[in-house]
């Protein structure tokens, strides 16, 4: 699946924000150059892992195809968790010698990284999406299951959280970073177009 504009804009905005903070007196002494370097390195790793993201789902029992978490999601989830743990350890060890601004900035980074890790895990690693020739099923990390018949699919739209499939009986969102996401999105879009054409023909008749 090709890169979306959000995947390019987010790291550029983050790096630009860190550069701006470097020229603000209250935050100029923080290691913002190193933080920008970490963001740039992480984005380079993200692009490299994106190249090896599988385009097709895994065939499992009974003729079902299934999405699987990609290396991008594992890297982002566990990498963010590991970096949060390292920063938290640094705060605990160096808390008595660091100034207040550095402590606050580090705590905010820890919270942001931890929240990002949990969010990626909940939205990607611990969900399950599968489909066959009749229907598509999605189970969230909390166990909520949505089942859509292909004949009920009405639209497929990308968003910040991933790709959403809309049906007459419900909708669900799956990660665009899953292995097989491109295949499922293309298949769902084809079904939605056919369903729309069938409904239009029936209405005209």
């Amino acid at each position: 699946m090709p890169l979306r504009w959000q995947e390019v804009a987010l790291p550029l905005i983050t790096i630009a924000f860190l550069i701006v903070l470097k020229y603000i007196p209250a935050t100029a002494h923080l290691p913002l150059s190193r933080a920008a370097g970490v963001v740039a390195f992480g984005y380079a790793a993200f692009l490299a892992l994106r190249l090896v993201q599988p385009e097709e789902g895994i065939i499992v029992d009974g003729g079902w195809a299934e999405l699987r978490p990609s290396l991008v999601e594992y890297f982002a989830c566990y990498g963010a968790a590991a970096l949060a743990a390292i920063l938290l350890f640094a705060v605990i060890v160096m808390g008595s010698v660091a100034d207040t601004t550095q402590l606050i900035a580090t705590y905010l980074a820890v919270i942001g990284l931890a929240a990002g890790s949990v969010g990626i895990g909940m939205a990607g690693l611990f969900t399950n999406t599968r489909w066959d020739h009749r229907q598509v099923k999605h189970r969230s990390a909390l166990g909520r299951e949505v089942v859509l018949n292909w004949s009920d699919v009405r639209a497929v739209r990308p968003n910040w959280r991933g790709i959403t499939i809309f049906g007459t009986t419900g909708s669900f969102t799956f990660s665009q970073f899953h292995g097989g996401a491109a295949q499922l999105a293309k298949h769902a879009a084809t079904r939605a177009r056919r369903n729309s054409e069938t409904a239009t023909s029936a209405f005209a008749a």
Side-chain angles (χ1 to χ4, degrees):
M1 180 174 290
L3 287 175
R4 300 192 302 172
W5 69 267
Q6 294 95 330
E7 298 171 36
V8 178
L10 184 59
L12 294 179
I13 292 173
T14 302
I15 292 174
F17 179 69
L18 293 173
I19 292 175
V20 170
L21 290 179
K22 190 66 178 177
Y23 291 94
I24 297 177
T27 57
H29 64 289
L30 297 177
L32 298 173
S33 299
R34 293 181 182 178
V38 171
V39 173
F41 172 79
Y43 187 59
F46 165 80
L47 292 177
L49 294 174
R50 259 312 232 136
L51 293 176
V52 298
Q53 178 178 335
E55 292 292 320
E56 297 187 355
I58 304 297
I59 302 300
V60 294
D61 56 294
W64 290 83
E66 190 171 274
L67 299 184
R68 292 292 172 86
S70 65
L71 292 175
V72 170
E73 292 169 305
Y74 283 114
F75 171 79
C77 182
Y78 296 117
L83 188 55
I86 292 172
L87 290 176
L88 183 60
F89 177 76
V91 168
I92 295 173
V93 173
M94 300 170 49
S96 58
V97 295
D99 63 40
T100 304
T101 305
Q102 288 180 327
L103 287 176
I104 293 174
T106 306
Y107 272 124
L108 291 176
V110 169
I111 293 172
L113 289 168
S117 177
V118 172
I120 293 170
M122 295 291 287
L125 298 187
F126 308 120
T127 63
N128 180 268
T129 306
R130 52 167 52 191
W131 71 96
D132 64 0
H133 66 283
R134 295 186 305 107
Q135 57 187 200
V136 56
K137 298 181 180 180
H138 174 80
R139 189 178 69 250
S140 70
L142 300 177
R144 176 177 175 268
E145 186 171 76
V146 177
V147 180
L148 298 177
N149 293 325
W150 286 121
S151 58
D152 296 330
V153 172
R154 293 294 174 259
V156 180
R157 297 191 185 96
N159 52 57
W160 276 99
R161 296 188 300 124
I163 301 171
T164 301
I165 298 178
F166 296 90
T168 56
T169 59
S171 65
F172 65 85
T173 301
F174 62 93
S175 171
Q176 73 269 23
F177 302 122
H178 275 347
Q183 180 187 15
L184 177 55
K186 183 178 179 181
H187 185 64
T190 300
R191 291 284 188 162
R193 186 180 67 253
R194 289 178 180 175
N195 292 339
S196 178
E197 291 171 352
T198 301
T200 301
S201 299
F203 180 79

